[in-house]
Amino acid sequence: MEPGQRAAGRTTVRVEGSGGPITIIDDGWGIPHIRAGSKPDAFFGQGYVVARDRLFQIDLDRRRELGLLAASFGARFAPHDHLARLLHFRGDIDAELAAIPAEVVACAQGYVDGVNARIDEVTADPAKLPPEFGILGLTPLRWTLRDLIRLRSADMGDLDDEVRRARLAARGLLDQDNLTAPLAWGWRPVVPEGLDLSAICEADLGILAEGSGPLPFGPDVLAVHDPDAARRDRAAQGSNAWTIAPSRSASGRAILANDPHLGVGGAAPRHLAHLTAPGLDVIGGGYPGLPGIMQGHTDRFAFGRTNFHINQEDMFVLETHPDDPELYRHDGRWKRFTRVEEFIAVKDGDALTVTLRHAAQGPVIATDPSRRRATVLSSVSLRPGANMTFAIIALNLAHDWASLREAARLHVSPTNLHYADIDGNIGWQAIGHVPIRPRHDGLLPAPGEGTHDWTGILPIEQMPSSFNPPGGWIASANQMNLPADYPATDRAISFTWSPPYRYDRIAEVLDAQPRHTLADSIALQHDELSIPARTLIPLLPGEQTGTAAMAAAMLGGWDFRVGADSAPAALFEMVWIELDHAFRATVVPEGARDLIRSIDATQLLHLIAHPDSRFGPVPAAGRDALLATALAAGWERAVRVFGPDPARWRWGDAHRVTIRHPLSALPGIAAAFPAITGGRSGGDGFTVNARGYVAGQGYAVTHAASLLIVADVGAWDNSVVLNLPGQSADPRSAHYRDAYQPWLTGTMQPLPFSAAAVDAAARQVTVLEP
């Protein structure tokens, strides 16, 4: 053994379910490097270490997905359970398993067995249980392979957007929707033939609205669906990725960088692991509870992902029979809903019975017999073959670009897949299931009598891709990235995309670097230059008075970098919030203000640059008056937030990174899991170093790149990583928060990969013996 491994502690654990011994080598950052004799055993090891480090996290997720929260926490969770069970896959599970490659299924079974092996271990020795189980009086749920088929990722999607557009259309104000959710290519939504716009209302979201939103832990937390907050939350979640060809790299090797932007403040959304077996060698970040590695590298290629945009859900409006509300009209005849009754156990209360209905297009989310009406959620995730849980395994088992694209057929969620291999190739493939809508564009609800039903899923061969582009680099940051010659509107993949500012900044930096380095990628991941600020500040009127003049003067001398220690950055963020308020009050008609509660950033900047008659008879003067109002209001907001002395304003004093247990509203949990606090941050939702916040709910970081990885393709031991706040969710572990401070400062950690590097970094060795 290498000296580093000889110094490591060594433990042997007896387990059931593995095919042979499995060695787990934990390095100094708690990253487990799993060595097994077979691929299924490598995934067994991953299941074991995820349960070791994040057992309560994956257990709570499993209770939510199975619809078992009320049994654990009480009656107010029943709507969540109702929705979860409604969204279970109700088809032939055996047929689904038979359609998945056998090797993928075997690896998934290995993962499940690994989770259960750790559950058996901690159940036998309760001292090893995460503290939450004792505090809450719970026992970990055992896992089954069939649940991986049954539990799907369907959710609200953009159904609330469809309802909003329909309500605006009913008022003759559909064109106003472009202010809050602009459509690509200047597309105008088409009202489906036969849709009664006047009948669409929020009640049509039914159990989706009632059962969505935050889980109601604690007396002051309510599970209330807020469509505007939900839309902002979706918009804030994104990612950056870029792939550099050897021709543009200083080392002559490809580089792949990826930083998924996910929720920050609760449970960490990524867990690092390294799986090694004959024919398998993959390392990187995975989602706890999902088998496989989502972004990282194998011994042959690096891979990354950002969110692509696909409209994957629709609302269908059904007509029900006047005498029997269990019948609905479809394909020219009356059909009966498929009904399932389920019992929801309730802690300290009586069990509830819920009736789950399904129609031809999917689960019924609302019924109103008095109006002879029902609404249905149609989601790609609920279709046969939409087994996303197995997709990541398939990607990990690929060995080149062709096999990776083939594996991507299983991948349901919308993703920009980045690729770079040791042979010098780079590639991008848009993946995810796109519903084929022959008779509507998916932007409003559609009649459910059958004329507007989906007719299939777009083949991956018809999805956009690029391989070895002549420019030598590929980047995605959730922007509209369909090629100019792609028949986008015909295929209706999506009409809505994230603002382009992160991508634009990435592109200008990469274009200026003919020989890109790993250090350049790390710096770019932490870049805090704001393109919206750089666009706005030159448009501010030159003559101001009072606090507006002081605000204009401070911003006028700024370098547009949203740094934690920047006073102008602090002021800019306050002004930006006030700009939205001021312009919304002017340009949004009164009849639409209840539905349009914020202005999209690209639209806001366009209005400022190109004022029109909505600003008055002299548009530029009206625009300037609003800018002055926002400057003054932003200054006053900054005084309230940062204090009276502008010289002491610092963006990071408000823009902090605080991580609390998801159940911290419960006193026992809060006492056992002290919040991880103190971190000051720069950036905002539009900088490459994306540190988003939700205005109106404070200025704390709510979305960020919790995981960052930069891969040196072929010289794998040079690769680096960060994972906030650490590998373990147990405060008794040394890896509970050891990555918190490095993450705040951008100090990347090593990601050893070769056997020699892993052995040298070893701190603890665990051998799982069957």
Side-chain angles (χ1 to χ4, degrees):
M1 291 185 183
E2 295 293 324
Q5 190 169 336
R6 287 200 299 271
R10 189 177 185 89
T11 303
T12 299
V13 178
R14 297 289 179 182
V15 296
E16 291 187 6
S18 71
I22 302 166
T23 301
I24 301 167
I25 303 171
D26 288 294
D27 66 22
W29 293 98
I31 300 172
H33 302 263
I34 301 159
R35 296 173 178 172
S38 70
K39 295 172 188 176
D41 276 356
F43 281 90
F44 183 106
Q46 188 192 19
Y48 178 88
V49 295
V50 167
R52 179 196 68 183
D53 295 337
R54 306 283 186 87
L55 180 56
F56 184 77
Q57 179 182 352
I58 65 173
D59 186 79
L60 182 61
D61 277 352
R62 189 51 41 113
R63 290 173 197 270
R64 176 182 55 80
E65 293 166 342
L66 286 170
L68 298 176
L69 290 173
S72 305
F73 303 108
R76 58 184 165 171
F77 291 84
H80 291 266
D81 289 347
H82 182 175
L83 177 59
R85 298 186 191 200
L86 182 65
L87 300 182
H88 288 173
F89 178 69
R90 299 286 172 175
D92 187 335
I93 292 179
D94 290 327
E96 295 291 294
L97 285 169
I100 300 169
E103 187 175 49
V104 172
V105 173
C107 291
Q109 182 66 64
Y111 186 91
V112 166
D113 291 341
V115 171
N116 286 333
R118 178 61 180 180
I119 290 173
D120 289 340
E121 182 183 346
V122 298
T123 302
D125 183 1
K128 295 180 179 179
L129 270 172
E132 297 100 327
F133 290 100
I135 295 168
L136 300 171
L138 298 175
T139 300
L141 300 175
R142 290 186 63 81
W143 284 44
T144 72
L145 179 67
R146 297 175 75 83
D147 280 343
L148 299 187
I149 295 287
R150 183 177 294 110
L151 304 180
R152 301 294 180 90
S153 59
D155 56 16
M156 177 74 75
D158 65 350
L159 262 64
D160 46 359
D161 290 336
E162 292 185 12
V163 169
R164 183 189 69 249
R165 292 190 189 100
R167 294 180 67 192
L168 285 168
R171 301 174 190 179
L173 296 171
L174 180 55
D175 59 329
Q176 300 298 318
D177 194 63
N178 197 54
L179 289 169
T180 194
L183 304 180
W185 313 290
W187 185 262
R188 296 179 64 85
V190 178
V191 178
E193 182 182 352
L195 179 67
D196 181 1
L197 291 170
S198 65
I200 303 294
C201 62
E202 289 289 326
D204 287 328
L205 294 170
I207 189 62
L208 273 185
E210 190 179 352
S212 297
L215 296 178
F217 289 106
D220 300 323
V221 181
L222 301 177
V224 177
H225 172 65
D226 181 341
D228 186 60
R231 186 184 61 78
R232 289 185 179 214
D233 188 61
R234 291 196 300 271
Q237 298 189 50
S239 302
N240 303 319
W242 51 87
T243 309
I244 311 297
S247 62
R248 296 292 297 270
S249 167
S251 68
R253 296 184 297 272
I255 296 171
L256 191 149
N258 193 195
D259 53 291
H261 307 156
L262 300 164
V264 165
R270 289 291 184 265
H271 180 266
L272 295 166
H274 180 187
L275 285 64
T276 305
L280 174 70
D281 202 357
V282 61
I283 191 171
Y287 180 80
L290 181 68
I293 302 301
M294 299 185 74
Q295 44 262 123
H297 67 81
T298 71
D299 55 335
R300 296 284 308 170
F301 62 84
F303 56 99
R305 58 196 296 123
T306 67
N307 185 47
F308 186 63
H309 285 247
I310 302 176
N311 182 355
Q312 296 186 310
E313 289 86 22
D314 274 333
M315 175 185 289
F316 287 94
V317 181
L318 304 180
E319 175 192 356
T320 56
H321 195 281
D323 300 322
D324 185 350
E326 295 301 319
L327 296 175
Y328 68 97
R329 187 185 298 277
H330 187 261
D331 285 343
R333 61 189 179 91
W334 294 106
K335 295 182 180 180
R336 187 166 296 277
F337 290 124
T338 300
R339 288 168 44 113
V340 176
E341 289 201 345
E342 296 225 353
F343 298 92
I344 298 176
V346 176
K347 180 181 179 182
D348 300 325
D350 296 332
L352 302 174
T353 302
V354 294
T355 300
L356 310 178
R357 295 176 175 85
H358 290 76
Q361 301 94 343
V364 178
I365 56 176
T367 59
D368 187 348
S370 66
R371 295 198 297 157
R372 297 181 52 190
R373 178 184 185 82
T375 50
V376 174
L377 164 67
S378 196
S379 170
V380 296
S381 297
L382 299 176
R383 293 172 57 90
N387 293 300
M388 179 66 198
T389 305
F390 297 81
I392 306 304
I393 298 173
L395 295 179
N396 294 166
L397 298 181
H399 54 272
D400 58 14
W401 177 243
S403 57
L404 190 72
R405 295 179 76 200
E406 183 62 28
R409 295 182 190 278
L410 280 175
H411 201 285
V412 180
S413 67
T415 299
N416 291 293
L417 183 63
H418 284 247
Y419 171 90
D421 66 29
I422 59 176
D423 296 322
N425 300 302
I426 66 172
W428 161 72
Q429 174 71 58
I431 61 177
H433 289 191
V434 178
I436 298 174
R437 304 175 174 94
R439 292 197 57 194
H440 64 114
D441 58 18
L443 292 172
L444 290 94
E449 71 271 15
T451 55
H452 292 76
D453 288 4
W454 299 350
T455 57
I457 296 296
L458 195 69
I460 194 170
E461 290 81 7
Q462 295 183 30
M463 297 286 280
S465 65
S466 177
F467 193 65
N468 291 331
W473 61 265
I474 301 167
S476 65
N478 320 115
Q479 83 286 5
M480 203 293 286
N481 60 343
L482 295 177
D485 60 352
Y486 187 78
T489 56
D490 292 342
R491 294 176 182 174
I493 288 179
S494 178
F495 294 97
T496 58
W497 306 82
S498 298
Y501 305 121
R502 285 182 285 113
Y503 173 81
D504 289 347
R505 176 57 178 164
I506 292 166
E508 72 180 19
V509 170
L510 294 182
D511 278 338
Q513 294 174 335
R515 290 292 181 266
H516 188 84
T517 68
L518 288 180
D520 290 332
S521 271
I522 295 168
L524 184 52
Q525 286 182 330
H526 295 90
D527 187 282
E528 293 174 340
L529 186 136
S530 168
I531 286 184
R534 193 174 68 185
T535 304
L536 171 69
I537 304 307
L539 298 174
L540 296 177
E543 295 184 6
Q544 299 289 338
T545 60
T547 54
M550 291 188 286
M554 178 181 282
L555 293 174
W558 182 34
D559 63 1
F560 315 121
R561 295 183 182 275
V562 187
D565 292 318
S566 170
L571 175 61
F572 170 76
E573 297 297 334
M574 304 300 104
V575 170
W576 186 262
I577 294 169
E578 296 297 340
L579 279 170
D580 181 77
H581 297 335
F583 278 72
R584 175 179 170 273
T586 297
V587 302
V588 177
E590 185 174 353
R593 288 179 193 163
D594 61 324
L595 298 174
I596 298 177
R597 289 180 280 181
S598 65
I599 299 179
D600 174 81
T602 60
Q603 295 298 301
L604 181 59
L605 289 173
H606 180 80
L607 287 167
I608 294 170
H610 305 283
D612 56 31
S613 60
R614 286 173 289 185
F615 295 92
V618 183
R623 181 270 320 269
D624 288 352
L626 284 180
L627 288 173
T629 298
L631 285 168
W635 185 274
E636 297 304 322
R637 180 184 285 267
V639 168
R640 294 194 301 271
V641 174
F642 300 103
D645 183 2
R648 302 180 62 137
W649 293 352
R650 300 291 183 268
W651 173 227
D653 290 346
H655 198 47
R656 293 184 178 271
V657 181
T658 299
I659 299 175
R660 294 183 174 88
H661 194 286
L663 276 61
S664 62
L666 305 178
I669 296 292
F673 293 83
I676 302 173
T677 61
R680 302 167 66 255
S681 177
D684 64 16
F686 299 128
T687 56
V688 179
N689 185 25
R691 305 281 173 89
Y693 62 99
V694 179
Q697 299 180 14
Y699 311 101
V701 176
T702 57
H703 296 87
S706 55
L707 172 71
L708 302 94
I709 187 168
V710 181
D712 189 344
V713 178
W716 301 117
D717 288 334
N718 296 336
S719 303
V720 290
V721 71
L722 278 172
N723 187 33
L724 178 76
Q727 281 286 94
S728 176
D730 191 329
R732 299 170 297 187
S733 168
H735 305 298
Y736 178 62
R737 57 168 297 163
D738 57 337
Y740 179 69
Q741 193 60 38
W743 186 86
L744 290 169
T745 60
T747 306
M748 303 292 281
Q749 302 165 195
L751 188 62
F753 183 71
S754 68
V758 170
D759 289 343
R763 295 296 180 271
Q764 175 65 40
V765 177
T766 303
V767 178
L768 305 182
E769 291 280 0

